Amino acid sequence: MNTLQQSTPARLHHLQIVTGQPETMVDFYQRMLDLRIVEVHADSTVLAGPARAMVIGRSDGGIEPHYGYAVADASALEALKRQLSGRDLPYRTIEDPMFAPGAIVITDPQGRRLAFGVAAQACDYAGPPARLQHTVFQTTDLDNIVRFYVEKVGFAISDEVVDADGVVMVVFMRSDDEHHTLAFFRGSNNEWDHHCYETSEWNDIRDWGDRFAAAEVPIFFGPGRHGPGNNLFFMVTDPDGNRLEFSAELGRVAADTLPGVWPQSERTLNSWGRAWIRS
């Protein structure tokens, strides 16, 4: 089966989230990530910045969260639609302010929504490097969710984390050449775990850390280095408690590479020391 990486590479382009405090969230992402307001609607605000973008909606406004993956062009999007139809995966068209007309959305068995489309405009804004790169979830049904994203959508598994009993606890999946653009942790809840911004180098990690420190936003995990993906990282939270990761040196994976297997341990999640273990 052709994977997204092989046939229609897709990168995480933007997030659409909902919140009960939209003004506070818009202010945070403007100040801390250099996002600019490009559109204001009755129930949402559209923000864009250098290689990162977000739609922040009111939780009482009727919009639903989704995670927008961009493909190269209209022909790639049409090819993806044919592949999804061939795998009996229903999709519907969606109006997304960050995508050109024709974008689609799929829904996984637990209700998460991924949109695919062609970027409506280049994110050529100035600002420190931090490209929106991946998003991660916790799930109570890891095996079936992974099967859905691999067999129906076309993601490829880069690495798995396995506990002492041989149970898979974490799966990292890719939709292009980067180690992961999507991942799932086995957990007791079905929730958004974090989203990540890939920087250029270690000095960028330092500079982003200094920025959050100056704003009195504390790091809650890291700095460190992940085993799977080999990337440097740290994590902070936004006013809603959503977790943001800043990363550097994320590995790249060839299309024919077999999935790696890692033991579930603190050193797998942070080879430098203590780790945040989901439960």
Side-chain angles (χ1 to χ4, degrees):
M1 183 184 79
N2 282 341
T3 65
L4 292 170
Q5 181 185 13
Q6 293 169 317
S7 57
T8 56
R11 61 181 177 85
L12 184 61
H13 178 267
H14 67 275
L15 309 172
Q16 178 166 297
I17 66 173
V18 297
T19 175
Q21 50 177 350
E23 293 82 6
T24 300
M25 290 284 280
V26 167
D27 175 71
F28 175 87
Y29 282 96
Q30 283 183 288
R31 288 187 296 108
M32 302 309 303
L33 272 79
D34 297 306
L35 299 185
R36 302 179 186 177
I37 296 175
V38 295
E39 293 181 27
V40 177
H41 304 278
D43 57 0
S44 64
T45 302
V46 182
L47 303 106
R52 46 191 183 265
M54 180 176 289
V55 180
I56 296 178
R58 308 186 69 91
S59 55
D60 59 356
I63 70 170
E64 297 180 75
H66 67 242
Y67 310 87
Y69 283 77
V71 296
D73 52 33
S75 62
L77 182 59
E78 290 304 313
L80 176 59
K81 292 176 182 178
R82 290 193 296 272
Q83 291 166 12
L84 297 178
S85 296
R87 298 167 188 156
D88 295 321
L89 177 57
Y91 62 83
R92 63 178 180 83
T93 58
I94 186 174
E95 290 187 7
D96 184 311
M98 303 307 302
F99 282 152
I104 61 172
V105 65
I106 63 170
T107 303
D108 79 13
Q110 293 186 317
R112 300 174 196 87
R113 305 192 325 146
L114 266 63
F116 293 88
V118 179
Q121 60 184 12
C123 292
D124 55 357
Y125 303 93
R131 170 176 51 89
L132 182 61
Q133 194 278 322
H134 71 254
T135 189
V136 177
F137 301 89
Q138 295 187 41
T139 175
T140 57
D141 192 14
L142 181 66
D143 299 334
N144 286 327
I145 286 296
V146 170
R147 188 175 301 113
F148 171 85
Y149 280 101
V150 171
E151 296 179 0
K152 294 291 190 179
V153 188
F155 282 83
I157 297 174
S158 295
D159 278 315
E160 297 176 329
V161 177
V162 179
D163 72 8
D165 296 321
V167 177
V168 177
M169 301 300 292
V170 191
V171 179
F172 297 90
M173 293 180 282
R174 64 187 184 274
S175 55
D176 58 13
D177 290 343
E178 292 190 303
H179 180 269
H180 60 284
T181 57
L182 179 67
F184 286 91
F185 284 77
R186 188 186 300 274
S188 56
N189 297 297
N190 295 305
E191 62 184 25
W192 192 23
D193 189 274
H194 71 268
H195 61 290
C196 181
Y197 298 87
E198 179 74 3
T199 66
S200 300
E201 60 174 354
W202 171 250
N203 285 346
D204 295 329
I205 296 287
R206 175 203 63 194
D207 293 345
W208 280 103
D210 286 344
R211 170 178 285 208
F212 284 103
E216 299 185 0
V217 178
I219 291 174
F220 86 90
F221 182 23
R225 184 185 286 278
H226 293 313
N230 196 42
N231 49 312
L232 304 160
F233 75 93
F234 74 81
M235 288 188 180
V236 295
T237 58
D238 70 16
D240 269 6
N242 301 314
R243 306 170 188 99
L244 292 73
E245 179 179 22
F246 288 80
S247 171
E249 302 181 7
L250 181 67
R252 303 181 75 84
V253 181
D256 59 353
T257 302
L258 295 177
V261 178
W262 296 76
Q264 186 185 34
S265 69
E266 287 195 314
R267 288 188 59 80
T268 289
L269 294 182
N270 182 8
S271 61
W272 288 2
R274 302 304 300 271
W276 167 41
I277 304 292
R278 285 73 163 177
S279 62

